[in-house]
Amino acid sequence: MIAVEALRVPPTYAPIPAAIHPQHEAIEARTTAWAHRLDIGSPELRSRLVTHSIGTFASRILPEGREEVVGLLADFVLWLFAVDDGYCEEGELGRRPGDLIAATHRLLRIAQLPDAPMLTDDPLARGLRDLQSRMTLYGTPAQVARWIDALREYVFSVSWEAHYRVDGRVPEVNDYTLMRLYNGATTVVMPLLEMGYGYELQPHERDDALVRAAADMASFIIVWDNDIFSHHKESRSDDAYYLNILRVLQDEEGLSPQQALTCAIGQRDRVMTLFLRLRTHLEQQASPQLRQYLHSLSAYIRGAQDWGITSLRYTTPDDPAGLPTTLSDSPSDSSPEPLDIPVIAPWWNLLPDPAPHRAALAPERAALTV
């Protein structure tokens, strides 16, 4: 195992207010029961996952959403972790990319055609059939189709990850950024942001370049935060540690672990300031549905941030991580200049005038502790 410096993560920029669904405790309990009832993951993995406050995470993402959809989101996120941990990172399939592609595509087929006579005794397939039936109940056909398309993106991206683990290679920053937007499984949550509040964005809004960019920026912030908060846990595993932005920055830029941490935080803060500017611009002429969608993207960012610094998944009490207990009301980097990452650099060309970004940086409210 690589000797990795223990880092202390400073309070990170949180301009979005914290919120949580009032029924979060009941949602948490039901998700735990769902995992046990359907035997999601191995007994050892499941016993860990149900302590990670995944129901609370979903309750932060949809703080005012329909309770049944918040529960669906919680169950789905737990299922994703069972796939990611059990198949991709800790299981043998994670070291056999070809077999992993086949296994995950069989699951994908279950999402597309739940009546297909295959994997009838497989707990993950059984869980996915249950999730798909509830997606169909609470979502429109178009939303379910987008959910399946996003699952396909996720499946391909985790197969890409497996090749780097097997080869013992660290990807380049640009490639890592591109694939992290998908292997972080943020896009598979996006359709549930609409389902949670019982609406559907019109295609001309969802497919607008600025709206797509807002969703991508939210994904970037969420996965960069995840890498920052999970670094301590992942750095204890040689396999996972090839695929963390701190390791990628160290390898490509020749940075120390502390320098890589500072750089990654600055990158996420710069994208956060751009996201706030873009959100303000879009809200000026947005429909009520688009306003709600932008609000949900914001809640997703803040919910992931709060969950990341409090969940046992990342605080690892047996080997404590140096995570913050408070958050910051100011960015470490508010530059309006693009990041030197080609796959996302065009984001900074979407808005004509960077000057108004200062007004968007003010916190929405002062309550930044969690």
Side-chain angles (χ1 to χ4, degrees), residues 3-24:
V4 179
E5 175 184 342
L7 300 175
R8 180 161 295 279
V9 179
T12 53
Y13 180 41
I16 298 163
I20 192 168
H21 197 282
Q23 297 302 315
H24 63 92

Side-chain angles (χ1 to χ4, degrees), residues 7-54:
L7 300 175
R8 180 161 295 279
V9 179
T12 53
Y13 180 41
I16 298 163
I20 192 168
H21 197 282
Q23 297 302 315
H24 63 92
E25 292 180 351
I27 292 164
E28 185 74 54
R30 287 196 293 269
T31 290
T32 296
W34 182 84
H36 286 306
R37 186 174 69 255
L38 277 74
D39 294 328
I40 303 298
S42 69
E44 190 276 333
L45 174 58
R46 184 166 63 251
S47 69
R48 281 188 281 126
L49 291 177
V50 298
T51 69
H52 290 172
S53 303
I54 294 171

Side-chain angles (χ1 to χ4, degrees), residues 90-284:
E90 299 174 12
E92 286 301 314
L93 284 175
R95 296 166 182 82
R96 302 199 308 267
D99 291 339
L100 178 62
I101 291 171
T104 51
H105 274 75
R106 292 187 198 105
L107 290 174
L108 181 62
R109 192 60 173 171
I110 297 299
Q112 294 171 311
L113 290 174
D115 294 334
M118 55 187 290
L119 301 180
T120 54
D121 296 324
D122 183 276
L124 285 175
R126 185 164 56 246
L128 186 56
R129 284 186 169 96
D130 177 77
L131 293 167
Q132 197 274 353
S133 68
R134 292 154 67 194
M135 295 283 181
T136 302
L137 178 62
Y138 299 119
T140 68
Q143 288 168 340
V144 175
R146 287 197 306 278
W147 172 68
I148 293 171
D149 286 345
L151 271 178
R152 184 178 295 106
E153 294 173 340
Y154 168 74
V155 161
F156 277 114
S157 63
V158 296
S159 302
W160 171 85
E161 282 185 316
H163 283 283
Y164 279 91
R165 289 196 184 95
V166 170
D167 294 346
R169 292 188 296 126
V170 178
E172 296 179 349
V173 171
N174 194 55
D175 285 346
Y176 182 78
T177 302
L178 175 61
M179 300 307 291
R180 194 71 178 103
L181 294 176
Y182 304 109
N183 66 27
T186 53
T187 57
V188 293
V189 171
M190 300 301 183
L192 283 93
L193 301 183
E194 298 176 40
M195 293 182 201
Y197 293 96
Y199 70 93
E200 183 174 25
L201 275 182
Q202 293 299 307
H204 74 273
E205 289 184 309
R206 185 186 302 102
D207 296 335
D208 180 83
L210 297 183
V211 177
R212 291 202 311 270
D216 282 347
M217 290 177 201
S219 291
F220 178 93
I221 297 163
I222 291 164
V223 297
W224 249 235
D225 279 347
N226 182 262
D227 279 13
I228 291 164
F229 300 145
S230 68
H231 173 265
H232 181 84
K233 169 180 173 286
E234 291 182 356
S235 66
R236 271 55 185 165
S237 166
D238 287 347
D239 284 348
Y241 194 53
Y242 290 113
L243 296 157
N244 182 291
I245 187 55
L246 271 65
R247 177 69 191 279
V248 173
L249 288 169
Q250 290 173 64
D251 190 76
E252 183 164 321
E253 304 294 338
L255 304 179
S256 69
Q258 183 62 54
Q259 290 171 328
L261 173 63
T262 300
C263 180
I265 292 174
Q267 289 172 334
R268 64 85 65 192
D269 285 0
R270 197 183 297 191
V271 175
M272 176 72 90
T273 62
L274 181 62
F275 171 81
L276 296 174
R277 288 177 51 214
L278 179 56
R279 186 188 65 180
T280 298
H281 175 79
L282 286 169
E283 286 177 338
Q284 292 174 1

